[in-house]
């Protein structure tokens, strides 16, 4: 892709590698300006397309194959992205679309290195093949409805991407990050997979975690607190262990006053 990034994505990928080599989770790249510059570029584009969307603050940084997940917990032998999910899966969000069909919540996913079926890329089930996308899942998980018959697996679509590419999708898209294969990566001389994601939403659906006055380059304390707060918010999905949980709590608590009540009390 020929996207004109203000910051080379390779520089962000190199920073993530340095952090992981030093034992830090990849999400701590949010401490540095470069990640925020990338997000600011896309945020401006999204607001031009749909002015009601605001930067939420729900960010994730992935380094599949590093030995650590986005929040710092140990990953499996080969490493993988997150398991199948909707970014906002409650049935009350199934109707969160504008009259023209555009979603009131969207995730932006930026490839910082090449993302392939070998080193891990996104997979999804398209809207038209997902009965719960608009109708809701009836309080149940979507996997049984989609994959309860063998033909459902033929609905899966891979989303490989070159470094510097991006994809944006709605809160209702069922998606996941595949497992990588270190052996196959070695055969193909492919890098480990790194990516940065964040969300934009209509405030009526989900309010920003912190005031937009801090954008595009939030103070460092807020950045560290956001990393910690997100790790605690997702602790049921990824448990970083007691030592890192305490570190994340201290990071968040030090700047808790900078966040809205909705996020601070999650």
């Amino acid at each position: 892709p020929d996207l004109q990034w203000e910051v080379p994505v390779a520089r962000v990928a190199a920073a993530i590698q340095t952090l992981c080599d030093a034992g830090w989770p990849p999400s701590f790249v949010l401490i540095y300006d470069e990640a925020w510059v990338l997000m600011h570029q896309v945020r401006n584009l999204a607001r031009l397309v749909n002015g009601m969307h605001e930067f939420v603050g729900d960010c994730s940084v992935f380094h599949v194959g590093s030995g650590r997940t986005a929040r710092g917990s140990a990953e499996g032998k080969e490493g993988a992205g997150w398991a199948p999910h909707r970014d906002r899966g409650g049935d009350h969000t199934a109707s969160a679309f504008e009259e023209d069909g555009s979603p009131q919540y969207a995730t932006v996913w930026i490839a910082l290195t090449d993302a392939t079926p070998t080193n891990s890329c996104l997979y999804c089930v398209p809207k038209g093949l997902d009965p719960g996308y608009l109708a809701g899942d009836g309080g149940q998980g979507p996997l049984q409805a989609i994959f309860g018959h063998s033909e459902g697996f033929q609905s899966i679509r891979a989303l490989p991407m070159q470094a510097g590419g991006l994809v944006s999708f709605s809160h209702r898209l069922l998606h996941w990050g595949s497992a990588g294969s270190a052996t196959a990566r070695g055969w193909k001389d492919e890098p480990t997979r790194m990516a940065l994601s964040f969300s934009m939403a209509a405030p009526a659906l989900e309010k920003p975690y912190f005031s937009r006055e801090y954008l595009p380059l939030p103070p460092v304390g807020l950045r560290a607190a956001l990393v910690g707060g997100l790790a605690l918010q997702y602790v049921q999905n990824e448990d970083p262990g007691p030592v890192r949980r305490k570190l994340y709590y201290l990071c968040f608590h030090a700047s808790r006053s900078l966040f809205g009540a909705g996020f601070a009390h999650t």
Side-chain angles (χ1 to χ4, degrees), residues 2-7 41:
D2 189 20
L3 298 175
Q4 301 300 312
W5 295 110
E6 295 294 332
V7 173
Q41 281 190 262

Side-chain angles (χ1 to χ4, degrees), residues 81-125:
W82 285 353
H85 65 284
R86 306 189 195 278
D87 283 344
R88 292 297 181 268
D91 280 356
H92 69 285
T93 70
S95 60
F97 292 86
E98 305 299 336
E99 292 184 2
D100 63 2
S102 60
Q104 294 180 1
Y105 185 108
T107 295
V108 176
W109 194 94
I110 304 171
L112 302 176
T113 60
D114 291 348
T116 73
T118 302
N119 70 356
S120 174
C121 67
L122 288 180
Y123 284 76
C124 72
V125 175

Side-chain angles (χ1 to χ4, degrees), residues 8 15 58 114 152-153 160 177 195 243 255 266:
D58 193 355
D114 291 348
F153 292 95
V243 174
S255 297
T266 299

Side-chain angles (χ1 to χ4, degrees), residues 13-24:
I16 292 172
Q17 186 64 62
T18 299
L19 284 166
C20 291
D21 289 346
W24 289 89

Side-chain angles (χ1 to χ4, degrees), residues 163-190:
L166 67 82
V167 62
S168 182
F169 48 87
S170 92
H171 57 295
R172 297 297 298 172
L173 184 74
L174 183 72
H175 64 284
W176 60 96
S178 64
S181 169
T183 301
R185 276 197 295 106
W187 292 339
K188 294 185 175 184
D189 193 27
E190 289 186 351

Side-chain angles (χ1 to χ4, degrees), residues 193-210:
R193 192 263 276 175
M194 302 185 200
L196 165 66
S197 73
F198 65 95
S199 56
M200 304 280 293
L205 178 67
E206 186 160 335
K207 296 185 183 303
Y209 294 168
F210 55 86

Side-chain angles (χ1 to χ4, degrees), residues 71 229-241 245:
R71 313 299 178 201
L230 289 170
L232 296 174
Q233 177 173 270
Y234 287 106
V235 73
Q236 291 183 327
N237 296 337
E238 290 187 18
D239 187 351
R245 278 203 307 272

